[in-house]
Amino acid sequence: MNKPGRVLITGGAGFLGSHLCERFLAEGYDVIGMDNLITGDLANIEHLFSHPRFHFHHQDVTEFIHVPGALDAILHFASPASPVDYLELPIQTLKVGSLGTHKALGLAHAKQARFLLASTSECYGDPLVHPQREDYWGNVNPVGPRGVYDEAKRFAEAMTMAYHRFHKLETRIVRIFNTYGPRMRLNDGRALPAFMSQALRGEDVTVFGDGSQTRSFCYVDDLVEGIWRLLHSSEALPVNIGNPSEMTILDFAKKVVQLCGSGSKIVFKPLPEDDPKIRQPDISKARRILQWEPKVDLNTGLARTLEYFRGRVGAAQAARQVGSERKASWPERS
Ligand code: UDP
């Protein structure tokens, strides 16, 4: 791969996509961010618009993608990625994982660009093996509500390997475990944005089930470093990138409430269907072949994230306040 070169990042206005755009710009690359903005947000990348090496294409990757000029790499990150989003957008989720991956691979093939697929720990479903290693095939319910995401990503992995084996395309697959950090959407329904925005507003913090299900949370900068190293490696088979430090969701909720200095109380809501009971990445492969492991501990990562969420929750509250004051000052209609 030419270094630095020119990269396309699909889902470039999303949480992870926007951090990747920044990283590649910082490394000297020309970056094209592409997004249809159904879950992405221009606010995540508006600070990049004045950058001479950044370009934004407002486009749906499930349609034919045209990018003029050479490309050295394509990072395919376009997809709804939170349970709430893919439950609300089931067809788009299936389409972007299948048709969108096919289009992005076709473009990579045409440009002879290296291709990196953003896959997910959801490929392991509700796992029967713990922690999850890359050679575990998973326990996925294809017809449950999460099937639209899980199966789309499993298809995307199969399609990526087909391009690798049949077209000899240089491909990489990252299986991303729960990741958090600035630019997560306040209302995307994921645990961290839900808990943090509820705690900051002094609302009840909603833990699903009894909170005994586990997750392992990775700070976004660590994830980006792992992806950077994977792209520049020679490994075509999937690699887990995530933080192996596992905790229950109830403990995670308590930690967020405490960190926010909030008086919110924790309330329990029904567990969503097929919610995985345990999840922890086995990262020995990433350690071995990428010399990668997470560096940011949970307290540090949460403190950085809190700073961002304070700003967003404060801005949303101020906007609501202005809205209601304006409404109050409207003349009554007779
Ligand atoms: N969760 C929760 N309350 C919320 C949102 C999520 O208890 O308001 C739980 C969810 O049921 C899951 C865990 O937190 O067990 C992580 O959920 P998230 O949506 O962040 O990601 P997932 O790992 O399920 O894809």
Side-chain angles (χ1 to χ4, degrees):
M1 219 172 91
N2 299 336
K3 213 186 150 206
R6 190 160 182 256
V7 297
L8 169 67
I9 300 174
T10 76
F15 163 48
L16 298 180
S18 62
H19 285 277
L20 285 165
C21 288
E22 277 179 347
R23 173 66 187 260
F24 279 82
L25 287 170
E27 298 281 351
Y29 282 74
D30 278 27
V31 175
I32 302 167
M34 183 175 281
D35 210 297
N36 66 358
L37 301 177
I38 59 168
T39 57
D41 188 346
L42 283 181
N44 290 337
I45 49 168
E46 65 189 4
H47 61 295
L48 303 179
F49 275 82
S50 57
H51 196 296
R53 283 186 278 104
F54 181 71
H55 299 279
F56 178 68
H57 291 202
H58 184 191
Q59 193 177 329
D60 185 335
V61 293
T62 62
E63 307 292 338
F64 180 76
I65 317 173
H66 175 66
V67 175
L71 281 177
D72 296 287
I74 298 178
L75 288 87
H76 184 41
F77 277 70
S79 177
S82 81
V84 165
D85 285 342
Y86 51 74
L87 295 185
E88 274 175 11
L89 303 163
I91 316 282
Q92 289 94 328
T93 303
L94 279 159
K95 280 177 72 180
V96 75
S98 53
L99 306 180
T101 303
H102 185 213
K103 294 281 184 290
L105 279 162
L107 182 66
H109 185 221
K111 303 277 183 188
Q112 281 304 299
R114 192 171 289 191
F115 180 86
L116 184 144
L117 172 70
S119 186
T120 166
S121 55
E122 284 286 323
C123 287
Y124 303 120
D126 193 1
L128 304 175
V129 166
H130 195 69
Q132 292 77 55
R133 276 167 48 123
E134 291 87 347
D135 54 8
Y136 175 49
W137 293 351
N139 178 39
V140 170
N141 175 3
V143 295
R146 299 172 89 104
V148 298
Y149 186 60
D150 303 8
E151 296 296 5
K153 289 294 189 183
R154 288 165 68 98
F155 175 92
E157 288 196 3
M159 182 67 109
T160 302
M161 289 310 296
Y163 267 71
H164 174 68
R165 294 194 176 107
F166 187 75
H167 289 306
K168 312 283 178 242
L169 190 70
E170 287 247 39
T171 58
R172 310 285 177 263
I173 298 173
V174 55
R175 289 202 182 132
I176 299 171
F177 282 67
N178 295 67
T179 301
Y180 70 99
R183 302 200 196 123
M184 293 184 96
R185 267 191 5 257
L186 249 51
N187 58 349
D188 81 355
R190 280 188 268 206
L192 182 123
F195 296 164
M196 212 170 247
S197 50
Q198 288 162 342
L200 287 172
R201 292 189 195 111
E203 295 167 0
D204 289 348
V205 166
T206 54
V207 166
F208 297 158
D210 62 4
S212 62
Q213 69 275 30
T214 67
R215 294 293 185 275
S216 314
F217 293 94
C218 182
Y219 188 65
V220 62
D221 289 359
D222 281 332
L223 183 90
V224 166
E225 179 62 29
I227 290 169
W228 172 264
R229 290 184 188 209
L230 176 61
L231 180 71
H232 292 94
S233 78
S234 57
E235 179 63 27
L237 287 167
V239 179
N240 289 338
I241 299 287
N243 192 320
S245 123
E246 183 183 2
M247 65 197 302
T248 68
I249 287 299
L250 181 56
D251 284 344
F252 185 61
K254 286 180 183 162
K255 189 159 192 66
V256 172
V257 172
Q258 184 204 22
L259 191 87
C260 293
S262 164
S264 288
K265 70 175 193 303
I266 289 177
V267 297
F268 295 91
K269 300 268 177 185
L271 190 66
E273 200 179 329
D274 293 337
D275 197 289
K277 287 181 269 309
I278 44 176
R279 183 181 286 160
Q280 188 203 127
D282 181 323
I283 59 164
S284 32
K285 185 172 178 184
R287 280 199 172 104
R288 190 175 70 251
I289 66 170
L290 308 176
Q291 291 74 53
W292 176 89
E293 62 181 7
K295 297 270 185 280
V296 182
D297 65 48
L298 190 60
N299 286 333
T300 310
L302 284 178
R304 289 186 201 163
T305 310
L306 180 57
E307 209 175 301
Y308 172 82
F309 272 80
R310 272 197 211 285
R312 292 304 298 257
V313 169
Q317 275 169 345
R320 263 200 304 280
Q321 176 71 18
V322 169
S324 61
E325 277 166 12
R326 279 211 189 118
K327 211 166 169 194
S329 66
W330 287 344
E332 287 286 328
R333 279 210 233 147
S334 54

